[in-house]
Every structure is written in structure tokens, then in C-alpha cells.
Amino acid sequence: MTRVLVVEDDPDLALALRVLLTRSGYEVVHAGDGREGLRRLFADRPSLMVLDINLPRLDGWEVLERTRDMADLPVLLLTARGAESDRVRGLRAGADDYLPKPFGNEEFLARVEALLRRAGPAQWATAEAAQGLQLVPERRSAIWQGHEVRLSGIEYRLLQVLVRNRGRVVTTEQLLARVWDDPEGVGPERVKFAVLRVRRKLRQAAGGESADPLESVRGMGYRYRAPEAGPAALGEGDPGP
């Protein structure tokens, strides 16, 4: 049975969506706030997430950002905001569809069905390791030389791209497109300062005892230094940028 996660704090709407989806043959998991939504996302691994924007504890924008760190599954945004700027923000942030409230039952089900029909099987991030470092997607952190390093969303995605391409140079333009969704390459200073922040955090976590693994390649970009001995690479393989 196809599992759908509904992250919605309005109890009446949440109940209505649960009934509607259940009657249509879906298994429904519900979370009433953003933090619980992320916990249920990783624990239950649904095929699709229905996500409200105005959530307590952690709003829908943050839930969407963290979801894209952990998983590739269709996300349908529900919100009372109907402005074009909000729709564009949601789609650029990784949502697959956007449905302003109020909406009709048939339209909601049609959008759910269309998203599931277009999407392949959901892909889930697992821990990725390179020599001395492990990424932990559910906590959006890294383990470096045995010490946990808490990262922002940008910092985590930056390190994730470099680790997946370890031993290869990732250009500034590629990092802007992958990490900041800036395909035009505007603002290369963002990359420089983000790398500096990650380096500082790695060094501080290890007590300054070991150098960080990030290497600047003048005039090109950055590289996660290739390990000397073949490390275990867990999870999603080693795709190019």
C-alpha cells in the first residue's frame, strides 16, 4: 500500500485528508508540526509527502529544505498563501506541486495521483563515508575524526557534494548550481565563505589536531582530498556534480 505523510497542524484538515486518502486506498501517516514531520519522514519513509507551510516548531520551508537533504520523493505543498512569489519559492526549494487552500477533494486527489505516477521510487540518503568523515543525513551533521559537527543546510549540502565527488575538483559554478540553486553562477564569494565556515567547524571539532579535508584549487574550485586507501562509500555512489 502506498504510504503518504501528511504534515498539517490544523486537526480538522488533517482528519479530512486522512479520511480522503484512506478511502482512496493510501496508508496515511500524520504529523502535527515540522519537527515531528521530519521524524516521521525518516522513520516511515513514505512515497509522497503533503506539507503545510505554516507549521509550529519548524515551518514548512525548513522541513522542505531538510527533506531534500535526506530524500528524493514527491512533495505537495499546501498553504493559505496564494501569491506567485510563494509558489515560485516552493518550487525552487524542491517542491513538486503547490496547492493553495481552500481546495477541492477531487483536485487534491488528482494532484497526488499525478505526482505518484510521474515519480519513480523514493530515494533515501544513507550515511556516506570518506576517510575520517561520515555524513549523517537525518541529523544534517558530519562525524569528523570521531567528533560530531553540526552544520547548516548550506554547509551540509556543500560538504555532501564535495564528498560525493571526492578526489575530483568541483568548480565554483557547479557548487553554486548544486548547493545554492544559482545556475547563473552569481555570487561566487558565497562558496568561498561557506568553505571557510566548514573548515573552521571541522578543525574546531577535532580540537585543531588534524587538518580539514577540503582543498582549494586556484582558479577552479574545491576538492575533497582523495583518501590514500580505498574508503567505504556508503549510500548513493559517486555521481558527478
Side-chain angles (χ1 to χ4, degrees):
M1 183 180 293
T2 302
R3 181 177 297 151
V4 175
L5 170 61
V6 175
V7 188
E8 170 60 64
D9 65 319
D10 182 327
D12 293 332
L13 179 56
L15 177 60
L17 293 178
R18 179 188 289 272
V19 171
L20 184 63
L21 289 165
T22 301
R23 288 178 176 173
S24 298
Y26 298 101
E27 177 186 352
V28 181
V29 179
H30 173 247
D33 63 68
R35 292 190 185 279
E36 178 64 18
L38 286 174
R39 285 195 291 269
R40 298 305 298 264
L41 175 72
F42 204 76
D44 296 294
R45 302 204 170 192
S47 298
L48 178 142
M49 178 165 64
V50 178
L51 175 64
D52 187 27
I53 292 300
N54 297 314
L55 294 168
R57 301 185 70 194
L58 203 66
D59 70 23
W61 300 120
E62 183 71 8
V63 172
L64 180 59
E65 179 185 353
R66 296 195 185 187
T67 295
R68 287 306 178 224
D69 290 337
M70 297 191 297
D72 180 16
L73 80 164
V75 177
L76 173 61
L77 288 182
L78 300 182
T79 177
R81 301 174 181 175
E84 181 181 4
S85 60
D86 288 321
R87 295 197 297 272
V88 170
R89 178 183 178 184
L91 294 172
R92 284 182 173 170
D96 298 275
D97 202 356
Y98 192 105
L99 189 57
K101 302 173 185 175
F103 50 82
N105 291 348
E106 293 303 317
E107 181 182 6
F108 170 76
L109 286 176
R111 289 177 182 261
V112 168
E113 291 166 3
L115 287 175
L116 289 170
R117 188 167 56 247
R118 292 197 301 265
Q123 301 294 317
W124 298 89
T126 56
E128 295 179 75
Q131 189 175 21
L133 183 139
Q134 182 180 24
L135 296 178
V136 187
E138 64 267 33
R139 293 201 301 271
R140 198 163 62 180
S141 66
I143 307 296
W144 171 241
Q145 303 295 344
H147 303 275
E148 183 168 19
V149 183
R150 300 307 298 268
L151 302 166
S152 70
I154 290 292
E155 292 163 354
Y156 180 88
R157 289 195 294 275
L158 174 68
L159 194 53
Q160 185 180 55
V161 170
L162 292 172
V163 167
R164 290 178 178 178
N165 291 276
R166 51 191 170 274
R168 300 200 298 265
V169 175
V170 184
T171 68
T172 298
E173 291 75 18
Q174 289 169 334
L175 288 169
L176 283 167
R178 289 289 303 276
V179 179
W180 282 267
D181 190 23
D182 183 3
E184 301 302 321
V186 178
E189 290 297 302
R190 298 177 186 177
V191 179
K192 174 183 175 181
F193 290 119
V195 169
L196 288 174
R197 290 195 304 271
V198 173
R199 281 176 166 164
R200 183 170 61 247
K201 288 186 176 184
L202 293 175
R203 288 171 176 165
Q204 288 174 345
E209 298 174 359
S210 60
D212 71 81
L214 306 185
E215 180 182 11
S216 300
V217 181
R218 185 179 295 274
M220 296 182 64
Y222 300 88
R223 171 169 54 204
Y224 187 95
R225 280 193 289 269
E228 296 177 1
L234 308 178
E236 301 176 31
D238 195 22

